Amino acid sequence: MFNMTKNVVANLFSKSSTRLYPFAVRGHFEGFRGTLNINIDECIFCRTCMIKCPSQCIAVDNKAGTWTCEAMSCVYCGVCVDVCPTGCLSMSKEHRPVATEKQTMAYQGVPKKKKKEAAE
Ligand code: SF4
Ligand code: SF4
C-alpha cells in the first residue's frame, strides 16, 4: 500500500511519460525508413529491385517501361534502394498515410530501347 501511494504521488508531480500526439510528434530514429519513392526518369528497368525484393512486391516490365509496387506488401527493408544501380529509389522520412484500401504505386517510364530510338 505504501509503495503504491509513493508511486501515485511521484507520478502526480513528475513529467508525463506519454506525448500529446498529434500535437507532440516524436522525431525519427536514426536509420528510419519511410515511404518508398522512385524517380522513374532515372529508372533503366533492369529489374534488380524486383529480383532482390524479399516481399516480391515490385514488378518491372522492361518492355512496357512500367514499375509497380504493392505498397502494402512492402516491409520497408530498404533492399531495393541499396541495390538500385541508378539510385532512382529512395525512402523519405514520412510514414505512408493510413489507407483503407490496397494501394499500388504505379509508374510509367520510357524503356531503354525507346529512349535509344528517340535519341537517334
Ligand atoms: S523496401 Fe524492401 S520490401 Fe519494400 S519494395 Fe523495397 S525491397 Fe521490397
Ligand atoms: S533497380 Fe532501380 S533502375 Fe533497376 S528497375 Fe529497379 S528502380 Fe529501376
Side-chain angles (χ1 to χ4, degrees):
M1 184 67 184
F2 174 72
N3 269 352
M4 196 178 91
T5 312
K6 208 170 81 178
N7 282 342
V8 169
V9 173
N11 285 337
L12 277 176
F13 296 101
S14 62
K15 205 178 143 205
S16 171
S17 307
T18 55
R19 287 177 192 79
L20 206 60
Y21 185 85
F23 305 107
V25 181
R26 184 168 66 184
H28 298 303
F29 294 110
E30 204 186 313
F32 168 84
R33 302 187 198 107
T35 313
L36 180 64
N37 301 298
I38 182 167
N39 177 0
I40 197 68
D41 295 335
E42 297 296 319
C43 179
I44 55 170
F45 305 98
C46 64
R47 295 156 52 106
T48 310
C49 54
M50 181 180 99
I51 294 160
K52 298 283 183 181
C53 173
S55 301
Q56 300 186 331
C57 60
I58 299 177
V60 180
D61 186 328
N62 51 9
K63 287 200 178 85
T66 56
W67 185 97
T68 58
C69 174
E70 293 300 332
M72 286 182 165
S73 301
C74 173
V75 294
Y76 298 91
C77 63
V79 167
C80 55
V81 176
D82 294 342
V83 298
C84 177
T86 66
C88 66
L89 291 171
S90 62
M91 289 181 119
S92 63
K93 293 285 180 200
E94 292 89 39
H95 288 284
R96 194 174 56 230
V98 176
T100 53
E101 285 174 359
K102 205 172 169 184
Q103 290 182 327
T104 304
M105 297 166 63
Y107 292 86
Q108 175 71 61
V110 183
K112 219 174 170 182
K113 207 178 159 192
K114 282 193 182 160
K115 265 186 191 167
K116 227 177 179 179
E117 283 168 7
E120 286 167 2

